[in-house]
Amino acid sequence: MIPMFHADFRDLVNDERIHRVLFLFLIGTYVYTEVKSWWHILLRPLYVKIISMLSDYRSGKYYKPWGPTTPIVIVSTKKQIAELSEAPCLSQRAVYADMFGFKHTMNKLEHNTSNNKVIRTRLYSRLLQVNGPVHLDALYPHLLNQFDINLERELRGGRVVNGGISLPIAQTARRLVSKLMSLMFFGEALSLDEEFSSALLRYPQDMVKCMAAFQVAPSFMSPVIHAVLTNRGEAMHLIQKRLFQCIGSGLSNQNEADKIQLHTILYNIIALTSSSEYWNADLLSQSLLGIWFAASHQPWMNLHFVILELCERKEWQRKLRQELEQHVPLDYKRLEQLPLLDGFIKETVRCNPLDTLAIRRKALEPYTFSDGSLSVPSGATVCVSAYDLMHNPQTYPDPTAFNPSRYLLKEPNSQQRKFTEVSETYPIWGYGSLACPGRFHASLAMKMVISQLLLKYDLSLENENSSTRWSWETFAMPYQNTRVILKEHGLQTM
C-alpha cells in the first residue's frame, strides 16, 4: 500500500494540470492583493465617477466628463457680437473643426487658417442666400412630390395605434428632411440612388457620434475612433467620390432634366466656380460635405422639437391648420408669408435651442476686443449665450412662456418676425457675413413637413409621459424612441 501511495503522490506532484491550477491561484491571489491595495487610492474614485456619469445619462444629462480643455469667453453686447463675427483671427471654421474632428470626418480638411475666407463666404452667400430663394421657388413642386412619396413610405413602416399611425419622431424627421435637402442639393438622379442617399443619411450621424467620442478620448485615439465608428469613413468617402465625379465632369455631363438640374446647389456651385483658380473638384466636394452636414443635421432636430410642441399644444394645431387652409394651394412664396407658422417655429427654437451657446469662434492668436473689455488667449473659444439672449425679458417679455404670437406685434414689413431672421437677439443662424447662408433651405424643409402633416393629420404623442430629450454639454439631443401618432384629419384639396 505504501509504495502505491508514494507512486500516486508522485504522479499528483508531477501532474501539469495541478501546476497550472496552482500557478493561476498564485497569480489570482497576487492580483487580488494589488487591486485591493489600489482600490481606495485609484479604482474606487474612478468607479464612483463612472456610476455618476451613468446616473446623469439616465437622467437625461450628459457632458464632457474630464472638463474643458480650453477656456470659453462669453460676449453679449451688439458691438461685441458684431466684432466676434467678423474678426479675421476668430475662426468659425476652426472651432467646429475641433469639435467635430474635421481632420478625420471631413477628409483632412485644413481649418486652422483664415486664408481665402472671403472667397468662401462670397460663394456660399451667392449660392445659397442670394440665389437660393429663386431656386427653391422653382423646386417646390418637385420637393412636394418627393415629400409625398417618402411620407407614404414612412407610414407603411409605422404601426397602427388608437386609429392612427405611430412613427418614431426622430428617425422620421431625419429621413424626411434628408430626402428634401438631398433634392435641393443634388437633384433627383442622385437623390434616388439608394447607396448615395443612404450615405447622405449616415454621414451626419457619423459626425455626431465622432463629436461625442472625441470629447472623452485622448486626441491620439481620434483616427482609430473615427475608423471604428464610421467604418473607416465609408459614407464620407462615398459621398465625396460621387461629388468629385460630378464636379470633375462639369455641366456638360449633367443628365438630369433642366427643370430640376438648373436649380440644384450642385449644378450652381459648378457654374459659379467654373472660371475660378481657387476652387477645384476636391475642394468643392469637401465644402459640399460641410454644407450638407449643417443643412441636413439641424433642420430635422429643430423639426423634432416643433412636432413635440405641436403635440403638447393642440390649440396651435388648429390655428396653424386654419392659416394653412386659407393659403392653399401652397407654394414657396405662400409658405414664406404665414406669420403664425413662422412664429410657432421661431418660438419653438427660442425655447428649445439645440445649443445654448452660439456664434462660436476659435482664437487663432491672442485677441483683444476693440473696447478693451475682453482679452482672449490663443486657442480659446469665444461665443455668445444663445439661451440668455433669447430669454432676455427686455427683448422677450415673459421669456419662459411659450408665446408664438409675440412675433405678430412687429411692424408688418419687419423681418424680425421671420424664422430666417439674422439678429443679435436671435443668434441661432449666427451673425454678420458668416450667418448661415443655407437657412432658407433649412426653413423650407421644416415648413414643408409641418404644413403637410398639419393639413392631413392631427398629431399626438403615443406616450404622453415619454422622455423627449437629453443633453450633451450645451447641446439638446432628441430621444430616438419618442413616437408621434398621426391620425387622419380629413382630405384636403392641395
Side-chain angles (χ1 to χ4, degrees):
M1 293 293 294
I2 293 177
M4 185 179 297
F5 172 79
H6 283 297
D8 291 341
F9 181 76
R10 188 167 51 251
D11 291 341
L12 186 65
V13 170
N14 293 329
D15 192 329
E16 291 186 1
R17 290 174 297 179
I18 298 297
H19 293 173
R20 286 196 292 268
V21 170
L22 289 172
F23 175 76
L24 292 174
F25 175 77
L26 291 173
I27 291 295
T29 303
Y30 174 78
V31 170
Y32 172 77
T33 304
E34 289 297 310
V35 168
K36 186 176 180 181
S37 66
W38 282 96
W39 171 254
H40 292 286
I41 299 173
L42 178 64
L43 296 181
R44 191 173 188 279
L46 181 61
Y47 170 79
V48 171
K49 182 68 175 178
I50 292 173
I51 294 298
S52 175
M53 289 165 55
L54 291 174
S55 176
D56 284 340
Y57 180 83
R58 293 185 64 183
S59 301
K61 295 184 294 183
Y62 205 61
Y63 50 89
K64 186 180 353 182
W66 318 122
T69 57
T70 56
I72 295 179
V73 180
I74 304 291
V75 300
S76 56
T77 69
K78 183 175 181 178
K79 182 179 179 181
Q80 289 174 332
I81 293 172
E83 190 171 345
L84 165 67
S85 303
E86 304 299 336
C89 71
L90 300 180
S91 172
Q92 180 188 57
R93 200 181 198 198
V95 72
Y96 287 107
D98 289 345
M99 184 181 298
F100 291 103
F102 284 175
K103 180 179 179 181
H104 312 287
T105 58
M106 290 192 66
N107 204 10
K108 301 180 181 179
L109 176 69
E110 178 61 36
H111 62 273
N112 278 318
T113 176
S114 58
N115 297 340
N116 301 304
K117 173 182 174 182
V118 173
I119 295 176
R120 293 193 301 269
T121 301
R122 284 177 177 171
L123 174 64
Y124 299 157
S125 177
R126 186 177 175 189
L127 177 70
L128 302 171
Q129 189 168 317
V130 177
N131 298 339
V134 175
H135 296 307
L136 292 175
D137 188 20
L139 283 174
Y140 185 89
H142 309 289
L143 291 167
L144 182 59
N145 182 61
Q146 178 86 288
F147 174 83
D148 289 339
I149 292 172
N150 289 294
L151 178 60
E152 180 61 31
R153 181 182 301 172
E154 295 294 330
L155 293 172
R156 287 198 302 269
R159 64 190 188 206
V160 178
V161 176
N162 297 331
I165 303 296
S166 172
L167 299 171
I169 301 176
Q171 295 95 315
T172 302
R174 183 191 286 120
R175 287 191 289 260
L176 290 175
V177 167
S178 181
K179 286 292 187 179
L180 290 174
M181 301 299 291
S182 176
L183 185 60
M184 297 178 196
F185 267 69
F186 309 115
E188 194 170 40
L190 278 175
S191 295
L192 295 177
D193 183 321
E194 286 301 323
E195 186 180 34
F196 184 76
S197 182
S198 176
L200 290 176
L201 193 61
R202 293 199 322 270
Y203 178 64
Q205 298 177 64
D206 288 348
M207 293 277 282
V208 174
K209 286 188 292 187
C210 287
M211 178 198 75
F214 290 164
Q215 300 303 303
V216 299
S219 58
F220 71 85
M221 289 293 295
S222 295
V224 176
I225 290 171
H226 176 259
V228 171
L229 293 181
T230 68
N231 193 23
R232 295 182 297 235
E234 181 182 50
M236 173 185 70
H237 291 302
L238 191 152
I239 295 170
Q240 196 167 4
K241 179 181 178 181
R242 294 286 181 86
L243 295 180
F244 186 89
Q245 292 170 346
C246 292
I247 295 167
S249 64
L251 301 178
S252 59
N253 267 339
Q254 300 288 317
N255 298 320
E256 198 159 337
D258 285 352
K259 60 184 179 181
I260 296 179
Q261 170 195 334
L262 294 175
H263 302 291
T264 63
I265 291 173
L266 177 60
Y267 182 92
N268 282 277
I269 204 170
I270 296 172
L272 290 173
T273 60
S274 58
S275 60
S276 172
E277 296 182 359
Y278 171 73
W279 292 104
N280 55 47
D282 191 54
L283 186 56
L284 283 175
S285 63
Q286 276 190 333
S287 298
L288 280 170
L289 268 179
I291 300 172
W292 171 255
F293 169 67
S296 62
H297 178 63
Q298 292 194 18
W300 82 259
M301 294 184 69
N302 282 321
L303 176 60
H304 173 276
F305 288 114
V306 171
I307 292 174
L308 290 177
E309 294 290 355
L310 285 170
C311 290
E312 185 176 341
R313 306 173 194 282
K314 300 294 195 298
E315 74 280 7
W316 274 98
Q317 290 191 44
R318 292 190 292 272
K319 291 179 182 179
L320 293 174
R321 187 176 294 116
Q322 289 173 359
E323 182 182 60
L324 291 165
E325 290 173 345
Q326 291 171 4
H327 292 81
V328 293
L330 293 173
D331 57 18
Y332 176 71
K333 291 179 180 177
R334 288 189 175 95
L335 273 179
E336 287 301 301
Q337 297 170 356
L338 302 179
L340 287 181
L341 180 60
D342 256 307
F344 191 89
I345 298 173
K346 186 168 182 176
E347 186 72 346
T348 296
V349 175
R350 184 188 73 83
C351 295
N352 304 275
L354 301 182
D355 187 357
T356 57
L357 300 179
I359 318 180
R360 297 179 187 238
R361 301 288 188 270
K362 178 181 178 180
L364 301 180
E365 59 188 56
Y367 182 78
T368 300
F369 279 79
S370 60
D371 60 5
S373 60
L374 290 170
S375 292
V376 183
S378 178
T381 296
V382 196
C383 56
V384 303
S385 172
Y387 183 88
D388 290 340
L389 289 174
M390 295 192 294
H391 287 76
N392 184 343
Q394 295 182 346
T395 308
Y396 301 98
D398 194 10
T400 59
F402 186 90
N403 179 20
S405 298
R406 69 173 77 243
Y407 306 103
L408 304 182
L409 303 178
K410 302 292 182 181
E411 293 297 323
N413 295 326
S414 171
Q415 294 303 303
Q416 295 294 311
R417 63 189 176 88
K418 302 291 289 183
F419 174 52
T420 50
E421 73 167 344
V422 174
S423 168
E424 77 280 0
T425 64
Y426 195 79
I428 65 158
W429 301 114
Y431 195 72
S433 64
L434 292 182
C436 176
R439 61 190 182 275
F440 300 105
H441 299 72
S443 174
L444 176 59
M446 292 176 61
K447 288 179 177 179
M448 287 192 69
V449 176
I450 297 165
S451 61
Q452 294 303 309
L453 290 182
L454 285 175
L455 283 169
K456 299 172 183 176
Y457 303 99
D458 292 317
L459 284 64
S460 61
L461 290 180
E462 180 177 319
N463 179 1
E464 297 288 344
N465 299 317
S466 61
S467 299
T468 57
R469 73 196 72 192
W470 59 287
S471 62
W472 172 280
E473 293 188 304
T474 62
F475 301 97
M477 310 293 285
Y479 269 113
Q480 297 298 305
N481 58 356
T482 310
R483 301 181 71 91
V484 61
I485 296 176
L486 304 182
K487 186 174 295 187
E488 190 170 351
H489 171 69
L491 297 177
Q492 304 290 333
T493 302
M494 296 302 298

